[in-house]
């Protein structure tokens, strides 16, 4: 990414993404999700992104994200 580019959307790392949507990461990388962008060295991901049943949640730490995701998946 060039320095003059503006980042539109929250930077997301694949390693900080928990989702029940198998295509979601590919859509982020392809720029098809306007709220999120793939992170890079200049714009690292700082929050976990959890996507359950089509709803996105930004969560600040791994433990909470894992508990939230596992609880949501278990209750489907």
């Amino acid at each position: 990414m060039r320095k003059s580019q503006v980042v539109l959307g929250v930077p997301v790392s694949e390693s900080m993404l928990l989702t029940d949507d198998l295509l979601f990461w590919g859509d982020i990388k392809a720029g098809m999700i306007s709220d999120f962008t793939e992170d890079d060295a200049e714009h690292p991901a700082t929050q976990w992104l959890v996507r359950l049943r089509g709803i996105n949640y930004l969560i600040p730490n791994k433990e909470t994200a894992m508990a939230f995701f596992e609880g949501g998946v278990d209750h489907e």
Side-chain angles (χ1 to χ4, degrees):
M1 182 177 292
R2 296 185 324 235
K3 284 193 180 255
S4 63
Q5 287 181 312
V6 174
V7 175
L8 299 176
V10 175
V12 177
S13 167
E14 184 176 19
S15 65
M16 294 175 73
L17 171 66
L18 299 170
T19 181
D20 59 357
D21 180 347
L22 300 177
L23 302 176
F24 191 61
W25 177 244
D27 290 345
I28 290 173
K29 288 180 67 169
M32 296 172 60
I33 309 293
S34 62
D35 296 335
F36 303 104
T37 187
E38 183 177 10
D39 74 335
D40 59 26
E42 291 184 26
H43 307 95
T46 59
Q47 299 183 68
W48 284 75
L49 174 58
V50 177
R51 180 177 176 87
L52 287 170
R53 294 179 219 88
I55 300 173
N56 302 317
Y57 305 89
L58 290 173
I59 300 177
N61 62 60
K62 180 179 181 177
E63 294 77 22
T64 304
M66 295 292 289
F68 186 82
F69 182 73
E70 290 169 0
V73 171
D74 290 342
H75 288 97
E76 282 190 21

